[in-house]
Amino acid sequence: MTTRDRLDLLRRVVDEHGQAEVARRIGRSTAAVNQVLHGKYNGNPERILELIAAEFGSETVICPVMGEIPLARCTEERNKPFKATNPQRRRLYLACRDCERRKP
């Protein structure tokens, strides 16, 4: 999904749900969503657009550990803490650390 596609998705979901609801569902402020919509966001809009795609889109990614998974699952797994007692969690942690999708 391109940046333009994600912006179009953002516009559609804001029209359907409103800025406040969209912001609440992705865990960002209404102001940030508004600024991305209007091209005035000072941060990295790609991060917010990825959250939009994960929450409202149907995009999938290829995970080296889990195979093809929804972007939402990728985002969820990337944000989980390390657990040495769970072999899959350990493999995911190591793979996610070097993944191009991981944002500092």
Side-chain angles (χ1 to χ4, degrees), residues 16-53:
E16 185 177 336
H17 301 285
Q19 285 184 20
E21 177 64 16
V22 170
R24 184 191 66 73
R25 288 178 57 181
I26 66 167
R28 295 297 187 262
S29 70
T30 304
V33 170
N34 183 279
Q35 290 169 359
V36 170
L37 272 173
H38 294 96
K40 296 181 181 187
Y41 188 67
N42 288 329
N44 182 0
E46 293 299 321
R47 178 68 184 127
I48 289 182
L49 292 173
E50 182 173 309
L51 292 170
I52 293 294

Side-chain angles (χ1 to χ4, degrees), residues 2-104:
T2 66
T3 299
R4 180 177 284 244
D5 293 336
R6 288 179 174 180
L7 275 169
D8 289 342
L9 177 61
L10 174 58
R11 287 183 189 101
R12 285 194 311 271
V13 298
V14 163
D15 286 344
E16 185 177 336
H17 301 285
Q19 285 184 20
E21 177 64 16
V22 170
R24 184 191 66 73
R25 288 178 57 181
I26 66 167
R28 295 297 187 262
S29 70
T30 304
V33 170
N34 183 279
Q35 290 169 359
V36 170
L37 272 173
H38 294 96
K40 296 181 181 187
Y41 188 67
N42 288 329
N44 182 0
E46 293 299 321
R47 178 68 184 127
I48 289 182
L49 292 173
E50 182 173 309
L51 292 170
I52 293 294
E55 180 67 26
F56 298 99
S58 59
E59 187 175 346
T60 61
V61 296
I62 303 298
C63 172
V65 176
M66 301 174 75
E68 186 174 7
I69 60 174
L71 178 57
R73 177 78 187 269
C74 173
T75 302
E76 179 184 323
E77 294 297 336
R78 251 186 291 143
N79 293 321
K80 286 183 179 177
F82 175 73
K83 286 190 178 177
T85 57
N86 183 323
Q88 182 168 339
R89 184 74 235 126
R90 181 182 176 283
R91 285 192 307 273
L92 280 166
Y93 176 80
L94 294 172
C96 291
R97 233 179 20 181
D98 298 325
C99 182
E100 65 201 33
R101 293 189 171 279
R102 187 169 188 87
K103 306 289 188 241

